[in-house]
Structures are given as structure tokens and as C-alpha cells.
Amino acid sequence: EASSPARLRRRASSLGAAPRDPEPIPPPSPQAPRPPAAEPPLQGEKEAIFEPSDAELLRGVAAGVVARPAGEFAADVMRRAALSHAGMAVLEELLRGPGAGATAAAVAEAFAGKGRVLAVHSQGHRIFCRLLEAGNASAATGSLAGEALDGDGGDLGALCHHKNGHLSAMAVLQHGAPQQQRRLMAAVGSEVARLARHRYGCRVVIEALG
């Protein structure tokens, strides 16, 4: 006969032992909650590699003692300069110099189609703002500002909430083309309550109201 809890109790009673019910199986202990997944890095946080020779080239071109490189090489140097800490300092220096307009146009051309990337980058957003200050009359610079507004499916709220992008949005409000300013102000007005409560968005609201 197969053993069973009833048979075990009868045997325990015949041996003079107090019958005992089988001990309940404890429920499995709840698993510890998994830690939340790390947030992905913000778009455009990776820094580019900028060599000292690149700085010499840019300064030489700005001074007129070195011929301006052409083609993809020129665009690559400009992109690496704008997306690196060392290069950004060189470009800021040149964008305040006598050849600021030409430098602004060259950087804007290098970032054609990548306006939102530049506008939210940890280093590049500063160059984006300087471009609008120095060369807002340039067609390439105007296109770059338009691309910054059109990026991410035209989500201007995301730009205004971004820790770097909100500064670019403020630069558009200050120095962008009138139609770009109107478009951004309309977007701010449509979600002013949400932006006003945000640590970065509130700055855009103040700039728009100013």
C-alpha cells in the first residue's frame, strides 16, 4: 500500500507519538524588486576627438594664411570641433572674431541635416547658439535652426525640456528668423502650464514672454 498522510498518522499513534499534521510548505519568498534599468544616455552626449592640428588648421583658415579645406574633410573637421570641448573653445573664439560670418556658414554647412543633433549636444548646443548670434543672416544657419525645430518629428516640447536643447530654443527666440520665432512661441503657448513647471522649460517660457 502506498504511504499517505493518514497511514503515517496511524503509525505514529500506535507508537505512542502524538499525531502531527504535515508542516505546511511555506510560500515562496517574494523576489526582491529589480532595480530600474539605467536611463539611456541623452542624445548627443558623446564627445568627438579633436586634435591640436585641427585647431591650427581652423585658426589658419580664419586668419587667411591657410587655404580652406574642401569636401568631406572640411565638414569632418568642423563637426569634430563643434562636438568636442577643445574644438568648441576654438570655434567660439573664431565666432567672435572678424571672420565670424564665414566660420558660422562653414559650421552650419557641415551640420546640414543634423540641426537637432547639434542643438542638444553637450558641447554643440553652445556652438548652435553662437551660430545664431554670429550668422543669423546666413541661409545655411537659418536652415540649421529650422532643422533643430523639425527634429524628433517636430517635437518642440522635447527641445524645450532638454537640458541643452532649451538653451538652443532660447537662442532661436532671440536670434532666429521671424517665422521660426513665431512657430516656437506658438508651441510654448500651447503647453505653457507644463513648461512653466519644468526646470528647463520655464526658462524658455520666460524668454518667450520677454
Side-chain angles (χ1 to χ4, degrees):
E1 181 183 352
S3 61
S4 65
R7 184 179 176 187
L8 291 174
R9 281 194 294 270
R10 287 196 299 271
R11 184 175 180 186
S13 179
S14 66
L15 295 174
R20 296 175 57 190
D21 291 322
E23 293 184 0
I25 300 175
S29 57
Q31 294 183 350
R34 294 182 179 180
E39 293 185 2
L42 289 169
Q43 179 187 10
E45 287 299 299
K46 186 176 180 180
E47 229 182 276
I49 298 174
F50 186 76
E51 303 290 349
S53 58
D54 296 326
E56 294 176 7
L57 175 63
L58 290 180
R59 289 193 173 101
V61 170
V65 297
V66 177
R68 178 179 171 182
E72 183 57 29
F73 173 72
D76 178 65
V77 172
M78 288 297 183
R79 284 193 289 265
R80 287 189 287 109
L83 302 183
S84 67
H85 181 74
M88 178 266 301
V90 174
L91 283 180
E92 284 196 311
E93 170 192 327
L94 299 179
L95 288 169
R96 292 190 175 99
T103 302
V107 177
E109 290 169 7
F111 278 93
K114 301 179 176 65
R116 178 64 73 97
V117 173
L118 184 66
V120 301
H121 191 273
S122 57
Q123 308 297 335
H125 78 279
R126 295 177 60 173
I127 298 302
F128 180 90
C129 296
R130 297 291 177 271
L131 289 176
L132 291 182
E133 294 170 9
N136 58 328
S138 162
T141 303
S143 297
L144 196 69
E147 291 165 6
L149 301 184
D150 293 335
D152 288 343
D155 187 352
L156 297 180
L159 183 68
C160 295
H161 282 92
H162 195 279
K163 70 173 184 177
N164 304 321
H166 81 281
L167 296 170
S168 297
M170 292 168 65
V172 172
L173 289 172
Q174 294 169 355
H175 307 289
Q179 66 271 21
Q180 294 168 349
Q181 294 175 337
R182 289 193 296 269
R183 179 182 170 190
L184 190 50
M185 290 183 69
V188 171
S190 67
E191 51 179 311
V192 64
R194 187 163 70 97
L195 285 170
R197 293 192 296 268
H198 192 269
R199 62 182 298 190
Y200 302 129
C202 67
R203 300 177 185 177
V204 183
V205 172
I206 292 171
E207 183 63 39
L209 293 175

